[in-house]
Amino acid sequence: MKVLVLNCGSSSVKFQVIETSLEMIEADTDRTLARGGVEKIGLSDSRLTLEVEGRKPYQEISEILEHRAAVERILKILVHPEHGVLADVREIEAVGHRMVHGGEKFASSVLITPEVEAGIEECVVLAPLHNPHNLRGLRAARGLLPDVPHIAVFDTAFHQSMPARAYIYALPYDLYLRHGIRRYGFHGTSHRYVAIRTARLLGRKLDEMKIITCHLGNGCSMAAVARGRSVDTTMGFTPLEGLVMGTRCGDLDPAILPWVMAMEELTLAQLNAMLNKHSGLYGMSGVSSDMREIEAACERGSRRAQLAMEVFCYRITKYIGAYAAAMGGVDAITFTGGIGENSIKVRAMAIAPLAFLGAELDGERNTHAPRGKEYVVSRESSRVVVAVIPTNEERVIARDTVRVLGGVMPSFAAPETAAPR
Ligand code: AMP
């Protein structure tokens, strides 16, 4: 079946058309027919892009004022006689929507019913910068494609299997009960996908493996995946916790916040901007949030860029140690995301101190890992396999859409470990 996958942000809609089915998932033969998006929604120079394998990328600049108009443009270009890939929009049999936050309500991908929609709406308070746009995209797409099923795939669902000891903060318990303040984790579709692919690449059974997945992109997070289930992850109540990121600080002594607010006379909005936009690689280096620029600055001898790189990699190493302890061992460490897939230096620096754990990179393999391919970068003799797996969140969303419709979608709920209410 042809599935339209939509990922709606505040001023953008990204899409893919993916042909998939339960048989194609099994045989790993599902494929992307087209991908693209609309950027700068609300401006007079909104940009629509379309990429189809074997063709020149198509681009169009025009005024697209809101999400419904953006989805409308996407559907129109998909059936365009010259640039499109469909003869008729009726070829789209289902729509898979990326939803950022499913709170404790959603531990699985689900068919969107009025109750589900109300549940997603309730989670807006947890992700006020994301869920409203996801919902706007859903309503736009449903208005234009009312006769096909719409499925929600949540970033948080995979981490719902975490035990309470991993997700409860040592804060007054009332904050959890009254406001749902706990660790949720994000990037769940990516962690789940690369864990599955790692087991497949190694010819092993996922439910017999302990895997640490490192999603290193603009946002960075890691997960401890034991027997196919997330048992811990570095992002928390929001995506700010955990690893160092492009512009986010990750883990921090919380007492710094009131102290800096008082000393620098910051408002709450300024504090938020400091933590989310002016910290991380960018804040430490003063150079850039982009790892390629950091690496280039290191080459030029920038000591602050070098330090930023060291802090970034050291925290990954530390979490690998922590997650090996949490799972009582580790069989594989997987790198994904723009940095994880492409930065030879980050992989080398993060893994170098871990020989004691049985993880040893093969210098040659790490340096020559082919772009866009699934590849083992550890030595033959390394007890822990280190792999690079390109992530593909849209593919997971398309596959989950098919799984939900086929009644075979797994749930990641872990009621036996849920915190007392
Ligand atoms: P993503 O959010 O997954 O698209 O990843 C974006 C991050 O990947 C940015 O920090 C980029 O600098 C980084 N990145 C992309 N290509 C490379 C590369 N060849 N070497 C190092 N970092 C890269």
Side-chain angles (χ1 to χ4, degrees):
M1 92 169 26
K2 288 174 187 146
V3 178
L4 175 65
V5 175
L6 290 179
N7 180 355
C8 297
S10 58
S11 62
S12 69
V13 176
K14 288 190 224 146
F15 74 91
Q16 282 195 21
V17 179
I18 298 181
E19 180 154 41
T20 182
S21 65
L22 291 177
E23 295 72 31
M24 290 170 97
I25 295 172
E26 189 57 36
D28 204 21
T29 53
D30 37 8
R31 61 199 185 104
T32 298
L33 303 178
R35 74 178 80 218
V38 176
E39 290 166 38
K40 296 167 93 177
I41 295 174
L43 299 178
S44 56
D45 59 342
S46 317
R47 191 161 69 120
L48 168 81
T49 55
L50 174 73
E51 286 175 43
V52 178
E53 214 179 282
R55 292 194 206 158
K56 243 178 79 187
Y58 174 82
Q59 164 168 318
E60 187 184 291
I61 310 280
S62 63
E63 185 178 71
I64 300 179
L65 288 179
E66 36 76 51
H67 286 71
R68 187 180 161 107
V71 178
E72 214 166 354
R73 285 294 306 128
I74 289 169
L75 293 177
K76 209 162 153 199
I77 196 71
L78 285 173
V79 297
H80 189 279
E82 187 187 342
H83 305 294
V85 291
L86 304 175
D88 194 302
V89 283
R90 277 174 297 193
E91 282 179 46
I92 297 170
E93 286 181 72
V95 185
H97 295 267
R98 177 185 181 223
M99 294 285 165
V100 168
H101 216 309
E104 289 187 326
K105 268 187 190 320
F106 300 105
S108 183
S109 303
V110 285
L111 178 71
I112 302 173
T113 61
E115 295 76 51
V116 166
E117 193 173 335
I120 299 171
E121 190 79 64
E122 278 175 41
C123 295
V124 163
V125 65
L126 296 170
L129 300 181
H130 293 104
N131 275 30
H133 307 303
N134 302 159
L135 278 167
R136 202 164 295 141
L138 160 69
R139 286 164 187 156
R142 199 178 38 202
L144 295 160
L145 296 167
D147 300 324
V148 301
H150 292 253
I151 277 79
V153 180
F154 300 92
D155 260 25
T156 49
F158 180 56
H159 300 302
Q160 279 296 298
S161 54
M162 284 193 288
R165 63 176 177 273
Y167 68 72
I168 290 292
Y169 289 113
L171 288 167
Y173 204 68
D174 253 8
L175 292 178
Y176 168 60
L177 296 177
R178 283 171 38 216
H179 302 297
I181 295 184
R182 51 158 283 180
R183 309 184 63 257
Y184 291 97
F186 298 87
H187 289 148
T189 43
S190 178
H191 288 294
R192 186 172 136 226
Y193 176 75
V194 300
I196 292 170
R197 301 299 300 191
T198 302
R200 200 179 165 111
L201 178 69
L202 305 181
R204 296 186 54 183
K205 287 203 173 109
L206 182 66
D207 56 11
E208 289 170 1
M209 290 192 75
K210 294 167 180 168
I211 304 173
I212 298 174
T213 49
C214 311
H215 178 110
L216 311 177
N218 268 325
C220 300
S221 70
M222 288 168 55
V225 183
R227 290 170 282 280
R229 294 168 77 82
S230 171
V231 294
D232 206 345
T233 190
T234 56
M235 283 179 169
F237 180 63
T238 74
L240 189 56
E241 194 181 348
L243 299 179
V244 175
M245 310 180 208
T247 58
R248 296 188 200 128
C249 58
D251 292 338
L252 190 76
D253 177 349
I256 293 170
L257 310 185
W259 198 92
V260 170
M261 275 184 94
M263 295 300 273
E264 300 270 323
E265 297 181 8
L266 299 185
T267 62
L268 269 180
Q270 287 169 324
L271 182 76
N272 242 324
M274 180 190 94
L275 299 170
N276 284 291
K277 301 236 185 306
H278 307 140
S279 296
L281 290 173
Y282 173 72
M284 285 185 288
S285 69
V287 170
S288 169
S289 62
D290 189 302
M291 185 52 87
R292 285 167 292 203
E293 307 260 331
I294 297 287
E295 289 190 6
C298 289
E299 297 283 319
R300 292 195 303 269
S302 161
R303 290 182 54 200
R304 268 176 58 186
Q306 181 62 32
L307 179 61
M309 186 77 170
E310 284 174 24
V311 176
F312 183 88
C313 295
Y314 177 65
R315 202 167 295 172
I316 298 168
T317 309
K318 253 191 353 186
Y319 267 114
I320 292 174
Y323 286 173
M327 294 192 287
V330 52
D331 301 304
I333 301 166
T334 300
F335 286 92
T336 193
I339 299 173
E341 290 167 35
N342 297 303
S343 176
I344 297 160
K345 197 165 170 181
V346 166
R347 293 194 300 259
M349 282 175 68
I351 298 297
L354 295 171
F356 81 95
L357 197 69
E360 293 178 82
L361 276 196
D362 181 319
E364 274 294 300
R365 292 185 74 83
N366 187 42
T367 308
H368 301 295
R371 291 264 151 92
K373 292 268 178 334
E374 299 180 345
Y375 202 64
V376 170
V377 291
S378 47
R379 289 189 192 155
E380 203 75 53
S381 58
S382 181
R383 201 184 49 69
V384 178
V385 176
V386 184
V388 175
I389 306 271
T391 194
N392 194 335
E393 290 170 273
E394 289 77 14
R395 195 179 196 194
V396 181
I397 294 173
R399 287 181 168 195
D400 275 10
T401 299
V402 164
R403 289 186 185 112
V404 167
L405 296 175
V408 295
M409 181 65 213
S411 167
F412 298 99
E416 71 278 10
T417 60
R421 282 252 152 219

